[in-house]
Amino acid sequence: MAVNAYSLVHFPLVIGVIYMALGIEQVLDQLTHGPAERGAEMELAWIDTGAMFGGTALYLGARLAFLRMTAGESSQRQIIAVGLAILLIPAARKLPALAALGLLAAFLLALVAHEWLSPEARNPSRVHRRGT
């Protein structure tokens, strides 16, 4: 089980993190080089926004797959988080670069807080397991 989970899901986990970091790097590059040349309110390109939020969605999806393969855990909120990360792409596209980065940070912070405060985190026996 561990070999399958590591070999099948490790690559998407790493690619998701790298893709998200690439998007954040583009935002920081635009913030450091863009305001003087193009104006501070310039929107992000689709590729940059897709990198930030798409990388996040890929990581969250791979994390969900890893948890299902190893622990048999399944949670609707994890599936919703992947979909929400994808749905935030058009909204973040219309925001200035710093606001889009803030939206990503707020989304991830809310996701961590929700998982930490959820009843499943306090009582692991309530998590839906494979075969139940």
Side-chain angles (χ1 to χ4, degrees), residues 9-44:
V9 184
H10 184 256
F11 185 67
L13 278 169
V14 172
I15 293 300
V17 170
I18 290 172
Y19 201 43
M20 182 175 54
L22 176 66
I24 293 171
E25 178 189 15
Q26 293 301 316
V27 169
L28 295 177
D29 182 57
Q30 183 174 344
L31 290 174
T32 56
H33 297 103
E37 301 162 4
R38 296 178 297 228
E41 297 299 318
M42 181 134 180
E43 297 173 350
L44 285 172

Side-chain angles (χ1 to χ4, degrees), residues 5 9 59-71 73 78 130:
V9 184
Y59 173 80
L60 292 173
R63 179 178 170 263
L64 173 64
F66 184 81
L67 287 173
R68 289 191 76 139
M69 290 177 108
T70 57
E73 293 181 0
Q78 293 172 342
R130 190 179 327 162

Side-chain angles (χ1 to χ4, degrees), residues 19-20 22-24 26-27 30 43-56 85-86 88-97 100-101 103-104:
Y19 201 43
M20 182 175 54
L22 176 66
I24 293 171
Q26 293 301 316
V27 169
Q30 183 174 344
E43 297 173 350
L44 285 172
W46 278 105
I47 191 74
D48 301 335
T49 310
M52 278 196 323
F53 288 89
T56 302
I86 294 170
L88 285 174
I89 293 173
R93 170 71 173 92
K94 296 297 178 187
L95 296 173
L101 184 59
L103 178 64
L104 178 66

Side-chain angles (χ1 to χ4, degrees), residues 72 74 125-132:
S74 176
S125 65
R126 294 184 65 188
V127 175
H128 304 288
R129 299 206 180 268
R130 190 179 327 162
T132 58

